[in-house]
Amino acid sequence: MWVVATPLGHLDDLSPRARSALENASLVAAEDTRITRRLVPHRKDQRWVSVNEHSEAGLIEEITNHLLAGDDACLVSDAGTPLISDPGYRLVSAAHDKGIRVSPVPGPCAAIAALSVAGLASDRFFFEGFLPAKSTARQARLRELASVEPTLIFYVPARDLVKVLSDMRETLGAKRQVTLAREITKQFETIKRDSIEALRAWVEADPDQCRGEAVLVVQGVSEPEPMISPHVLAEALKEALPPSQAARLLGRVSGLSRQQAWQWIQGSDRASDAEHQRSAAQPADGDFSE
Ligand code: SAM
């Protein structure tokens, strides 16, 4: 059985192998046969069946018997790669159980296409697919994902972008980077990276961004935020503020401990100086008041 990827929008993305597999198989199991039939010429002796979440169970026996008789078949979804947030898992699993060879004809996948242009860490990623439709359940799931380190990938109907980005702001924070990949390979394709809050506001201001299909690729927690060096920051703060205030502010914005911040303001970052600095110059622990 061939598991065949098809275009996300641009028909030229149908690979020659995918076309040949679809043209030559004696049976094509498609999510919506009307959509996939547009990709290849009609053949009267070819059988087309519709496979979706509900029909899948009844069809498995029929399709696997067809395959066991030595005939070939293709599994295909409306767009992209079957089984990726699409039907087919039970059929593929049953084929393995019955010793039937399953082979991919790889090609487009919205999640991978979006990740490839997201400009976010791509060495590790977490594919979540669709979030729950209701905001309470969606926020609960996002809270569970808030500490995931790899880049996160979500499938989002574009009409829900503002609501989903608002929930992401509440649960993941406004500042994380997120890339919107909308209508990939289609006429009105949008690829845009910004902070969660800036992207939410931008989408809200442009109703056209709420049409079609979208993927959100969100920065994971492991990616370090770009940081100004404590040295540069300390020099700037020293110029503008009394030392105690400069140290307090440096600690707050840089994440340094109070003692480290005080050392930077005093012009020394050597760990061996810490105790000396502390007793000679630093006010009582945690107290920067003059
Ligand atoms: N199996 C498909 C794949 O390989 O990507 C995904 C199917 S899932 C039912 C449909 C979702 O994929 C859409 O809601 C959207 O999130 C994403 N998607 C599909 N085509 C897209 C496109 N051209 N641009 C952006 N996202 C797309």
Side-chain angles (χ1 to χ4, degrees):
M1 179 170 66
W2 303 102
V3 179
V4 182
T6 56
L8 297 171
H10 201 303
L11 296 183
D12 287 354
D13 290 338
L14 185 72
S15 74
R17 273 190 79 218
R19 182 184 300 283
S20 157
L22 286 171
E23 280 177 2
N24 294 320
S26 54
L27 184 148
V28 179
E31 192 182 358
D32 183 333
T33 55
R34 288 164 306 175
I35 291 177
T36 309
R37 268 175 182 274
R38 289 184 205 139
L39 296 175
V40 286
H42 283 215
R43 242 184 63 192
K44 284 212 173 101
D45 59 339
Q46 197 173 37
R47 211 174 136 218
W48 284 70
V49 294
S50 173
V51 178
N52 56 47
E53 300 295 347
H54 311 292
S55 67
E56 198 179 340
L59 275 174
I60 286 173
E61 191 76 11
E62 204 180 324
I63 296 170
T64 50
N65 284 343
H66 175 91
L67 290 158
L68 285 170
D71 291 316
D72 56 1
C74 286
L75 170 66
V76 64
S77 56
D78 288 352
T81 302
L83 278 80
I84 310 302
S85 294
D86 263 339
Y89 158 69
R90 283 183 292 172
L91 175 59
V92 171
S93 177
H96 280 283
D97 289 345
K98 295 186 178 188
I100 295 163
R101 184 174 167 203
V102 183
S103 188
V105 181
C109 173
I112 299 302
L115 181 65
S116 73
V117 293
L120 295 169
S122 54
D123 50 341
R124 291 189 302 151
F125 58 89
F126 184 105
F127 175 67
E128 173 68 3
F130 289 102
L131 286 160
K134 295 207 169 129
S135 183
T136 317
R138 188 162 58 225
Q139 286 203 11
R141 179 62 188 145
L142 284 167
R143 247 175 244 115
E144 286 170 3
L145 296 172
S147 56
V148 170
E149 291 184 356
T151 296
L152 298 156
I153 305 178
F154 300 93
Y155 281 166
V156 183
R159 63 175 179 277
D160 293 341
L161 275 171
V162 174
K163 286 188 282 182
V164 170
L165 285 163
S166 300
D167 287 343
M168 285 180 171
R169 178 187 56 191
E170 300 313 311
T171 52
L172 308 179
K175 288 189 188 159
R176 274 202 213 190
Q177 290 288 295
V178 55
T179 300
L180 165 65
R182 192 185 64 87
E183 295 289 89
I184 298 168
T185 74
K186 299 185 193 173
Q187 188 180 3
F188 298 108
E189 179 182 273
T190 301
I191 307 292
K192 186 172 173 64
R193 188 182 74 173
D194 213 324
S195 68
I196 287 178
E197 174 49 16
L199 191 74
R200 189 203 63 76
W202 184 77
V203 171
E204 193 174 44
D206 180 359
D208 283 344
Q209 297 304 326
C210 301
R211 296 180 208 276
E213 304 185 283
V215 181
L216 288 174
V217 184
V218 182
Q219 182 181 42
V221 285
S222 61
E223 213 175 323
E225 301 231 331
M227 199 179 135
I228 306 174
S229 89
H231 173 71
V232 173
L233 203 53
E235 289 303 312
L237 289 169
K238 263 160 65 177
E239 274 179 38
L241 295 168
S244 60
Q245 281 181 35
R248 189 167 29 222
L249 204 54
L250 178 64
R252 206 177 294 155
V253 297
S254 65
L256 293 171
S257 71
R258 286 168 175 173
Q259 187 178 332
Q260 287 169 323
W262 181 255
Q263 283 179 266
W264 278 107
I265 293 300
Q266 293 296 300
S268 168
D269 60 337
R270 288 167 47 209
S272 55
D273 282 346
E275 278 314 306
H276 172 73
Q277 294 275 340
R278 201 172 146 85
S279 54
Q282 186 183 351
D285 192 21
D287 176 9
F288 289 125
S289 57
E290 292 181 291

